[in-house]
């Protein structure tokens, strides 16, 4: 029984040693590819190393670096953070991991225009400075992240104000359009009323003209009738005078011979 137990322990030790050797081999391969700036191939090697040992802080850190070089900032930040889970990691290396995590979050926040990522970057830089207060690069990046966060907040506020102004302008335009519509409707009503008044005036003028025409016609007929009567009287008087002269001539003249 003891022999079986010793054999099992030895076998496990050999497997762990073989796994550790394979992991170290993949890490060295990843480092070679990284130094040649073949970051995608370095990523593959580091991932293979972490398949052997997911808790390897060095593998997590190097994988984060290869991802950062490929501009995969979100993934890089996660692997830098996983580096901090190993209690054996020194404060100096933790400060470096926090610094690089801050850089990854800063880049991701700028690309995605996310204030939350910039705020997380600020926290990473602040934690890194607690572990390594003499790191001027971290202090500079902290100030840069604060300034970029402030600019992003101001820009978003301006956009919101611009959106509110646009909404107010749209509401004003709608009100103006409604007011214009009401004015047009009122103008139409006024025009209709004016047209009705004009029509009534035209009718009244026509009626008045017709009455005047009828009155003029009556006056004309009356004057014509009076002139006709006067003419008839004149004719009668002329005829009467002619008759009287004929009678007088017949009485005073001789009688003509008959044939």
């Amino acid at each position: 029984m003891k022999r079986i137990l010793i054999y099992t322990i030895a076998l496990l030790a050999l497997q762990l040693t073989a796994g550790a050797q394979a992991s170290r081999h993949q890490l060295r391969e990843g480092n070679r590819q990284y130094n040649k700036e073949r970051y995608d191939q370095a990523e593959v090697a580091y991932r293979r190393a972490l398949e052997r040992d997911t808790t390897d802080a060095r593998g997590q850190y190097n994988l984060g670096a290869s991802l950062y070089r490929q501009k995969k900032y979100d993934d890089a930040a996660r692997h830098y953070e996983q580096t901090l889970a190993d209690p054996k990691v020194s404060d100096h290396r933790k400060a470096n991991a926090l610094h690089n995590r801050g850089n990854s979050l800063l880049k991701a926040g700028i690309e995605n225009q996310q204030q939350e990522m910039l705020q997380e970057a600020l926290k990473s830089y602040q934690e890194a400075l607690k572990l390594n207060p003499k790191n001027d690069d971290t202090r500079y990046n902290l100030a840069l992240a604060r300034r970029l966060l402030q600019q992003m907040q101001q820009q978003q506020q301006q956009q919101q104000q611009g959106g509110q102004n646009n909404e107010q302008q749209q509401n004003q335009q709608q009100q103006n359009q409604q007011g214009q519509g009401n004015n047009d409707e009122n103008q139409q009503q006024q025009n209709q009323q004016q047209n009705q008044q004009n029509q009534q005036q035209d009718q009244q003028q026509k009626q008045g003209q017709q009455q005047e025409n009828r009155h003029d016609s009556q006056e004309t007929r009356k004057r014509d009738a009076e002139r006709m009567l006067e003419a008839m009287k004149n004719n009668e008087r002329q005829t009467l005078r002619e008759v009287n002269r004929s009678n007088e001539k017949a009485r005073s003249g001789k009688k003509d011979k008959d044939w």
Side-chain angles (χ1 to χ4, degrees), residues 188-210:
Q188 290 178 356
Q189 292 178 355
Q190 292 177 359
N191 292 336
Q192 290 177 355
Q193 293 177 356
Q194 186 64 36
N195 291 332
Q196 291 177 355
Q197 291 178 358
N198 293 335
Q199 290 177 358
Q200 291 177 356
Q201 290 178 357
D202 292 339
Q203 290 178 355
Q204 291 176 356
Q205 289 178 356
K206 289 180 180 178
Q207 291 176 354
Q209 187 66 37
Q210 290 175 356

Side-chain angles (χ1 to χ4, degrees), residues 8 25 41-42 57 63 75 82-83 93 117 161:
T8 302
H25 173 73
Q41 296 181 21
L63 178 57
D75 290 340
Q82 290 179 9
T83 303
R93 290 182 175 176
M117 290 183 176
Q161 290 177 355

Side-chain angles (χ1 to χ4, degrees), residues 51-101:
E51 289 176 358
R52 304 284 183 175
D53 185 6
T54 59
T55 62
D56 188 352
R58 184 173 53 177
Q60 295 287 356
Y61 186 94
N62 290 354
L63 178 57
S66 65
L67 292 168
Y68 182 88
R69 293 293 183 177
Q70 297 177 76
K71 299 181 179 180
K72 300 177 181 179
Y73 302 120
D74 292 342
D75 290 340
R78 283 193 292 270
H79 286 285
Y80 282 130
E81 185 174 2
Q82 290 179 9
T83 303
L84 306 174
D86 190 348
K88 298 178 182 180
V89 177
S90 65
D91 290 344
H92 178 75
R93 290 182 175 176
K94 285 183 178 180
N96 289 341
L98 286 166
H99 175 92
N100 292 343
R101 179 177 181 268

